[in-house]
Amino acid sequence: MERTIIKSENFNAYFGNNHVVKNVNIEIERNKVIAVMGPSGCGKTTYLRCINRLHELIEGARCDGKMLLNGQDVYSMHPIFTRLKIGMVFQRPNPFPNLSIYDNVIAGYVLNGIKMSKSDKNDIVEKSLTSAALWKEVKDSLHKKGTFLSGGQQQRLCIARAIAMEPEVLLLDEPTSALDPISTSSIEELLKELKNNFTLIIVTHNMQQAARVSDKTAFFYMGELVEYDDTKKMFTNPDDIRTQNYITGRFS
Amino acid sequence: MQAHIKFRVAKSKAAEIILIVLAFFVTAPLLFIIYYIFQKGIKVISWNFLTQLPKPVGEVGGGIVNALVGTGLIVLYASIMAIPIGILCGIYLSEHKSSKLAYFSRLCVDVLQGVPSIVIGIVVYFWIVKPLHTFSAISGSVALAIMMLPIIIKSTEETLKLLPASLKEAAIALAIPYHRVITKVLLPCGISGILSGIILSVARIAGETAPLLFTAFGNPYLNTSMLKPMQSLPLLIFNYATSPYDEWHDLAWGAALILLFTVLLLNIITKLTTRKWNVQL
Ligand SMILES: Nc1ncnc2c1ncn2[C@@H]1O[C@H](COP(=O)(O)OP(=O)(O)OP(=O)(O)O)[C@@H](O)[C@H]1O
Ligand SMILES: [Mg+2]
């Protein structure tokens, strides 16, 4: 299999006339954790939402350039295929409030009308919740509504829901920004586990977190991809002065 | 300083009293109406009243079963027509907040809500009654359905608009096709608001008389064919109350009590549905 899984070529994204992501070129390797960093408003979320084509749902939003998944442009596929292969975890936990914990995990199957045997469902639920480090806490209350969980548990439920679909890539937009340190570290542990099976792209404002979990780091500034390199190098000896300033805290 | 604060406390006390008095003025007429109708109507209510046909003038007894069945059928057919269209239209308006067509439809819904019911009755008379050369229950249903539409559309639209965008994105990010996002996620999450809009719209039209005057028209006999004239509670009340006979006045009070009770019940059911089906977001 090819090592590169996602590749952007001259990729741009706009909100109306507001040019938010500017000419991004990047190659992301399989089974790595990539941290995306940069000051607030620099277009990290927007770039992430272009990868699984959520960006285009916003009125007036558009994008151009190439976004390749395994060499195929996601913008020439049906968006449903793209989203089957690229899962997403949002900044705020958003379990389906009308579904139980159990049904939330298999929501991607159930809501798609895919018929499965009871035992297949049970297997997927247990496996996904175990990978999301949530199984032990909820195994006795699987039929309660997902919204009864704490924020951190809800976020892990959303991760379980995304990985239950077995995507190739998992996008995580500041998945721990609303969580306490304990939930955060359990999610970080989880990310390290998950990279055996998935490619993870994680937006974070937390530099320690980026340093702890990621193999490579991409630094965005004002919509441009300033630098993309091994995390170690980015944090010790970045090439670009803007990266250096950001990492040493000279601007936020 | 002290005096200043005392003055403020007194002011807030005064405001409170004024509010209580105003609240009383709002509820008093309702309680009075309920009491009055109950007092007048309760004496004719009996099993026979609910199950028998009206008797000719002069004979004692007689019931309103034709009107009960008629109102039931007319409202049922009106709901069958209005609910699907209303919900679909509400979905469209909430999904397309700023398209030209949505703007125009929203305007139409607002205007429709303000059209006097008698005007709707006349229009349906020319649309359906005249071409078919007969008064018919179904034409009454159409008139009532037109009145239900704006209520259902508005409540569906407002309910769906209140759902957070993140909910829809969660579903879309799971590769769920758009029509399933609506039917499996958005509608179930907004079900309590949509249901209560529907029940309220039924409560609202159950007592409408004007649009039925020259559509369903009324019928002294029990009729279950939607293509023939049909009796209904409000028409019966109208006819009996304006008649010169005391026995008929009593029947009108009884029918009014039943109608009032039904509407109250529907409102209570609305409250319960909102509570029972509410999805905690
Ligand atoms: N829905 C929207 N409509 C219009 N403009 C938007 C919208 N969302 C974001 N923007 C604009 O796009 C720019 C980039 O936003 P984006 O959310 O991608 O930033 P970000 O890097 O994720 O920031 P943060 O770290 O605060 O999450 C911002 O300047 C913002 O003004
Ligand atoms: Mg963001």
Side-chain angles (χ1 to χ4, degrees):
Chain A
M1 228 182 315
E2 230 197 308
R3 277 166 56 94
T4 304
I5 183 158
I6 285 185
K7 185 173 179 187
S8 301
E9 288 175 6
N10 305 327
F11 197 84
N12 295 284
Y14 313 79
F15 285 106
N17 292 325
N18 188 4
H19 195 170
V20 175
V21 172
K22 297 169 187 159
N23 203 33
V24 168
N25 289 285
I26 194 170
E27 273 189 47
I28 291 170
E29 284 168 50
R30 204 176 288 280
N31 295 3
K32 288 269 158 67
V33 179
I34 284 84
V36 176
M37 305 197 64
S40 191
C42 68
K44 307 181 293 295
T45 299
T46 309
Y47 177 70
L48 214 60
R49 290 164 58 93
C50 287
I51 305 180
N52 68 343
R53 299 188 60 176
L54 282 189
H55 179 65
E56 66 202 48
L57 300 177
I58 295 171
E59 228 173 62
R62 66 201 163 82
C63 57
D64 56 43
K66 278 212 166 99
M67 180 73 78
L68 305 174
L69 170 70
N70 295 324
Q72 237 194 326
D73 195 339
V74 299
Y75 283 87
S76 62
M77 307 183 215
H78 194 283
I80 290 199
F81 290 115
T82 311
R83 295 175 193 141
L84 275 175
K85 297 208 165 133
I86 306 177
M88 184 163 202
V89 176
F90 295 80
Q91 181 168 359
R92 289 174 147 213
N94 53 0
F96 296 118
N98 57 325
L99 299 183
S100 64
I101 295 174
Y102 186 96
D103 288 331
N104 257 289
V105 177
I106 47 173
Y109 298 93
V110 173
L111 299 184
N112 260 312
I114 297 171
K115 294 268 181 296
M116 280 186 301
S117 72
K118 186 82 190 151
S119 68
D120 282 353
K121 284 188 197 170
N122 289 342
D123 287 349
I124 293 177
V125 169
E126 178 166 354
K127 189 167 152 247
S128 312
L129 284 174
T130 310
S131 330
L134 188 60
W135 175 248
K136 284 207 192 88
E137 286 155 70
V138 302
K139 66 171 188 281
D140 299 318
S141 48
L142 288 174
H143 294 284
K144 279 196 190 156
K145 292 268 182 287
T147 35
F148 281 112
L149 298 172
S150 78
Q153 291 172 323
Q154 288 187 19
Q155 192 61 297
R156 278 177 280 155
L157 177 58
C158 292
I159 295 179
R161 178 177 72 188
I163 58 188
M165 299 298 289
E166 302 190 333
E168 292 182 34
V169 182
L170 194 56
L171 311 172
L172 304 112
D173 192 357
E174 301 185 45
T176 60
S177 66
L179 305 185
D180 67 283
I182 297 172
S183 310
T184 301
S185 69
S186 69
I187 287 186
E188 283 179 11
E189 283 311 307
L190 171 65
L191 297 181
K192 288 181 199 157
E193 295 275 315
L194 290 179
K195 83 173 174 182
N196 296 324
N197 300 313
F198 308 97
T199 306
L200 303 168
I201 305 179
I202 173 170
V203 173
T204 175
H205 280 293
N206 182 331
M207 291 188 221
Q208 286 83 28
Q209 182 170 65
R212 280 193 298 267
V213 302
S214 70
D215 303 302
K216 287 196 150 197
T217 296
F219 177 68
F220 278 75
Y221 186 70
M222 312 247 302
E224 281 173 59
L225 175 63
V226 171
E227 199 169 346
Y228 176 57
D229 215 327
D230 287 337
T231 300
K232 226 183 224 144
K233 174 153 186 303
M234 291 281 279
F235 279 97
T236 50
N237 182 23
D239 290 332
D240 197 287
I241 182 76
R242 288 168 292 184
T243 319
Q244 205 166 2
N245 285 343
Y246 183 74
I247 285 172
T248 53
R250 233 159 282 161
F251 54 72
S252 64
Chain B
M1 200 62 203
Q2 275 292 5
H4 192 69
I5 290 177
K6 263 191 194 144
F7 179 61
R8 280 197 211 166
V9 171
K11 256 204 307 197
S12 99
K13 198 85 200 153
E16 206 173 292
I17 290 170
I18 291 175
L19 284 181
I20 290 174
V21 171
L22 289 178
F24 175 77
F25 277 121
V26 174
T27 39
L30 174 68
L31 292 178
F32 182 70
I33 290 172
I34 294 177
Y35 171 75
Y36 196 69
I37 293 183
F38 195 80
Q39 195 201 19
K40 289 269 194 185
I42 193 70
K43 59 179 181 243
V44 293
I45 303 246
S46 66
W47 183 244
N48 285 346
F49 180 72
L50 297 177
T51 55
Q52 290 193 347
L53 283 172
K55 296 243 169 81
V57 194
E59 284 181 48
V60 279
I64 57 163
V65 67
N66 55 341
L68 287 177
V69 171
T71 284
L73 283 174
I74 292 174
V75 169
L76 177 71
Y77 277 80
S79 305
I80 291 174
M81 288 182 268
I83 292 173
I85 302 177
I87 291 183
L88 287 175
C89 195
I91 293 174
Y92 174 79
L93 291 183
S94 79
E95 286 294 304
H96 300 260
K97 292 185 182 71
S98 54
S99 78
K100 273 220 177 81
L101 181 60
Y103 176 81
F104 185 70
S105 322
R106 213 169 277 127
L107 193 70
C108 291
V109 171
D110 288 340
V111 173
L112 190 58
Q113 195 151 29
V115 174
S117 55
I118 189 129
V119 174
I120 293 177
I122 295 173
V123 169
V124 173
Y125 175 81
F126 280 105
W127 279 357
I128 300 180
V129 176
K130 273 211 123 178
L132 292 184
H133 303 292
T134 170
F135 293 110
S136 59
I138 194 73
S139 60
S141 296
V142 170
L144 293 186
I146 295 175
M147 298 199 61
M148 287 173 82
L149 269 181
I151 307 174
I152 299 180
I153 294 173
K154 280 275 164 207
S155 65
T156 305
E157 182 192 358
E158 296 304 326
T159 306
L160 293 181
K161 268 188 184 166
L162 283 181
L163 296 176
S166 62
L167 191 59
K168 189 172 155 194
E169 286 185 342
I172 290 177
L174 280 176
I176 295 163
Y178 187 58
H179 66 280
R180 281 176 177 277
V181 173
I182 287 172
T183 55
K184 304 282 174 178
V185 178
L186 298 186
L187 287 182
C189 288
I191 190 73
S192 82
I194 296 171
L195 273 183
S196 60
I198 290 172
I199 302 173
L200 274 182
S201 74
V202 171
R204 170 80 186 67
I205 54 126
E208 276 295 340
T209 324
L212 297 183
L213 280 175
F214 19 69
T215 51
F217 190 71
N219 188 335
Y221 305 105
L222 181 63
N223 164 36
T224 52
S225 159
M226 293 307 287
L227 295 174
K228 298 206 179 105
M230 194 183 273
Q231 188 62 296
S232 80
L233 279 175
L235 283 176
L236 178 137
I237 296 171
F238 179 73
N239 290 331
Y240 281 11
T242 50
S243 76
Y245 315 109
D246 278 343
E247 306 91 77
W248 280 15
H249 292 169
D250 286 344
L251 289 181
W253 283 115
L257 179 59
I258 301 238
L259 189 57
L260 183 75
F261 186 72
T262 313
V263 172
L264 281 180
L265 197 68
L266 286 172
N267 277 287
I268 292 169
I269 293 176
T270 313
K271 291 265 184 292
L272 294 181
T273 354
T274 329
R275 216 168 295 157
K276 166 124 177 39
W277 295 79
N278 197 17
V279 173
Q280 209 78 43
L281 293 174

